[in-house]
Amino acid sequence: MLASRTRASVRLARRSFATVVDNAGVKVAAIDSNRSTVSITVLAKAGARYQPKPGVAHALKNFAFKGTADRSALGTVRESELYGGVLSSTLSREHLALTAEFLHGDEAFFVNVLSSVIASTKYTRHEYEELVLPAMESEINALNADPAAHAIELAHSIAFRSGLGASLFATPHTPVTARDVEQFATAAFAKGNFAILGTGISQAALSSLVQSAVSSASAPPTTSATTYYGGETRVAAHSGPQTIFIGYGTSGSPAAELAALAAHLDPNPSIKWARSSSPLLQDGKTSVHSVCMPYSDAALVGLLIQGPTAQAVREAGKAAVAALKGASDVKAENLKLAVAKAKFRLASTVDSRDGLLEVLGSKVLAGSSETSVEASLSSLDKITTAGFNKAATSLLKGKVTYIAVGDTQALPYADELGL
């Protein structure tokens, strides 16, 4: 018994963040999880919802690790490769993340790389045209070739319109210049607008990044409070599976019940290769995935359905609508299963570094004192049957967000599915 308690305490310590704020106002969070590698991430509130012009955040994400006052883009790549490290940048609707992953002992070099990106990136026109724009175009083409990703992008646009509805990708209708990107970067890395998170590194070592990083004194980017609208749209696509998304959104801080609802709606079996008993997956060819996307002041929950034919998607869509309508009267036993699945999803998500940033990054930026995984898991344990059914009923009373991507002549409209 003592041994099991000790192991539980170790796991708790490994998953808990220690958060400090230095004199410069930069939040630092580190977790030394005994990994063989180290990662350091600069996480800024500079996602798509904060951009002053559509596409600027996408451009800034691709401008990461280009020429700085310390080294050229080629120099950064070659030196990082000599250390065996990996540099990456990711963009979400709320955050821009610049990450360095490397071996223990190489902290000094990669801290310097990240500091240079924050403080002295040269937003030159030639690098923008020769390196950044081609990378952006490649990502836009990949989006258009992926009906699922395209549907999720459209769902945000229809559900929230502005703010969280802003696309993660640039469009040809709103040209962005290198000067636009530089101005947005100045605001993105303003004091108080970014945090520094690390795994496999001590708090003291990570704090050195704060001391060497020079953030700007500019005003950080702003965004308006999110309002959920909902709606329907259809986009023709000539390749890939037929796709529909059926979802509902909320405004305000996301409730734990939404994660449990997504787990409850998920028709996929827990055993790999097992045949699902759900009516959503009876033909063996249609895929259905539950989607739960929580944000700081809103959430979008629903089902993404894909199949080889519009008819298969139509039948699965009807079953999905029935499942959604039945979610407001869930029995205690089924809720227990949903909560357990939701807890496992959350725990497995934070086992990855990207997931850890996704789950805890917002809390660190907000200065929350509850920055452990256990705090998030405990909120799921507090869900009651009455509370769950009430939350589901309230959600489903709102306007649906319905997206169809594929053969728009054959794919069903929302009202044809009973929505």
Side-chain angles (χ1 to χ4, degrees), residues 370-385:
E370 287 292 350
T371 55
S372 68
V373 177
E374 279 64 28
S376 300
L377 292 173
S378 64
S379 64
L380 291 167
D381 285 324
K382 297 175 183 178
I383 297 175
T384 63
T385 304

Side-chain angles (χ1 to χ4, degrees), residues 173-222:
H173 304 293
T174 53
V176 175
T177 67
R179 177 59 178 163
D180 293 330
V181 182
E182 182 177 10
Q183 291 177 339
F184 182 56
T186 301
F189 300 121
K191 291 182 179 179
N193 197 61
F194 68 94
I196 299 170
L197 297 85
T199 62
I201 188 172
S202 69
Q203 189 75 34
L206 186 58
S207 295
S208 67
L209 176 58
V210 177
Q211 296 170 6
S212 59
V214 180
S215 56
S216 71
S218 300
T222 59

Side-chain angles (χ1 to χ4, degrees), residues 359-372:
V359 174
L360 300 177
S362 295
K363 294 183 179 182
V364 174
L365 274 170
S368 173
S369 59
E370 287 292 350
T371 55
S372 68

Side-chain angles (χ1 to χ4, degrees), residues 55 58-59 62 128 131-141 169-170:
H58 187 204
N62 283 284
Y128 179 60
L131 300 176
V132 176
L133 286 179
M136 294 168 62
E137 183 178 357
S138 176
E139 292 174 347
I140 293 169
N141 291 337
F169 302 88

Side-chain angles (χ1 to χ4, degrees), residues 33-276:
S33 52
N34 294 326
R35 295 176 183 266
S36 57
T37 59
V38 178
S39 76
I40 298 176
T41 296
V42 176
L43 189 70
K45 285 196 284 188
R49 71 177 299 177
Y50 293 99
Q51 60 189 2
K53 178 187 289 188
V56 174
H58 187 204
L60 179 58
K61 174 242 178 188
N62 283 284
F63 233 124
F65 308 111
K66 300 300 185 289
T68 68
D70 293 334
R71 55 183 66 84
S72 66
L74 180 59
T76 297
V77 171
R78 287 187 171 176
E79 287 188 67
S80 298
E81 288 176 342
L82 287 173
Y83 284 97
V86 177
L87 303 174
S88 62
S89 59
T90 57
L91 180 69
S92 69
R93 285 181 162 76
E94 297 202 285
H95 302 124
L96 170 68
L98 310 178
T99 300
E101 298 174 82
F102 49 90
L103 296 170
H104 281 281
D106 296 334
E107 289 83 355
F109 171 75
F110 288 99
V111 161
N112 179 262
V113 168
L114 290 172
S115 299
S116 297
V117 171
I118 294 173
S120 65
T121 293
K122 297 178 179 179
Y123 296 93
T124 58
R125 179 179 172 181
H126 73 274
E127 281 195 324
Y128 179 60
E129 294 179 350
E130 296 172 9
L131 300 176
V132 176
L133 286 179
M136 294 168 62
E137 183 178 357
S138 176
E139 292 174 347
I140 293 169
N141 291 337
L143 169 72
N144 293 330
D146 184 348
H150 200 178
I152 295 300
E153 277 292 300
L154 291 170
H156 281 83
S157 176
I158 294 296
F160 303 118
R161 298 183 185 177
S162 61
L164 287 175
S167 176
L168 297 176
F169 302 88
T171 68
H173 304 293
T174 53
V176 175
T177 67
R179 177 59 178 163
D180 293 330
V181 182
E182 182 177 10
Q183 291 177 339
F184 182 56
T186 301
F189 300 121
K191 291 182 179 179
N193 197 61
F194 68 94
I196 299 170
L197 297 85
T199 62
I201 188 172
S202 69
Q203 189 75 34
L206 186 58
S207 295
S208 67
L209 176 58
V210 177
Q211 296 170 6
S212 59
V214 180
S215 56
S216 71
S218 300
T222 59
T223 185
S224 57
T226 300
T227 299
Y228 174 73
Y229 296 94
E232 179 176 356
T233 193
R234 308 164 69 78
V235 174
H238 305 291
S239 63
Q242 302 299 309
T243 303
I244 63 172
F245 172 80
I246 305 171
Y248 293 86
T250 64
S251 300
S253 181
E257 284 81 2
L258 297 181
L261 174 61
H264 170 70
L265 292 172
D266 186 2
N268 296 289
S270 298
I271 301 176
K272 192 175 183 180
W273 309 122
R275 181 69 181 270
S276 173

